[in-house]
Amino acid sequence: MPPSAESLYDMNMHDPAAPLPPVALLEALYGGLTQEPPWEGFLRALAEAAEATFATLLVATGPAGIEAHVTPDVHPDKAGEYQRLSDADPFVGLPEGQVVAFQDFVRHVPPRFREWLDKSGGGQILGVDLQAPSGASVRLRVTRDQSRPDFDDAQTSLIASLIPHLRIALDLHARLTSTQAERQVFSSAMEGLAVATLILARDGRILRRNAVAQRLLEDGRFIREEHGRLVPTMGAASASLAR
């Protein structure tokens, strides 16, 4: 059984010999989680740092099914072509959490996949597979043209240094996505209510309101909004709100 994300993070952070990833890469990784689309800024920065042509993040739902495919600046046709060929990709099922070179792992390349590699200029590949808590397989790949030298220890160490941070970032992204979905569902439910509904902070600031509540606030006879806070216009209601 592979070690947990927390234990791998601790191992890396407390190993004095473990390389530290560049700060700029970590900023791109964590800062990009709230950007739309996510991951692209980090993958561009990683490709540059690893002297690669492209960096790719794949989320696979099974041995061949690709749920998400992010390769910044690649033509959409090429990305779609890979997804159609993904069942022929021999560079899958890597040892969990280990950086592996294509030429060290693959013994046979199906002809149609070799043709795609030659055409796309991705002969040199470094990869790492991470197992997400959801059960999905997350694949990180950096590629460069076959005509260039092989990736060396510096690029391998760079990607290895990012693994504990990738685990954390993937978990954060999953939580953010789940929270956003819950908010959308809750917002839709609020809008469908025929009664005024508001969500308040402890100090009375209005965090959310539905359309009915907005109309009451604009009317101002029963409740109003002052400096972003809910203010009842009746004394008894004010006391209740304070409590």
Side-chain angles (χ1 to χ4, degrees), residues 39 43 55-59 68-71 138-141 170:
W39 304 111
L43 293 172
T56 297
L57 190 72
L58 298 162
V59 179
H69 180 178
V70 185
T71 307
V138 180
R139 308 172 190 167
L140 179 67
R141 303 288 186 264
L170 288 164

Side-chain angles (χ1 to χ4, degrees), residues 64 82 84-92 108-110 112-114:
Y82 171 79
R84 290 190 293 272
L85 285 169
S86 61
D87 61 325
D89 187 351
F91 198 41
V92 296
H108 172 70
V109 183
R112 64 191 183 111
F113 195 78
R114 170 56 67 189

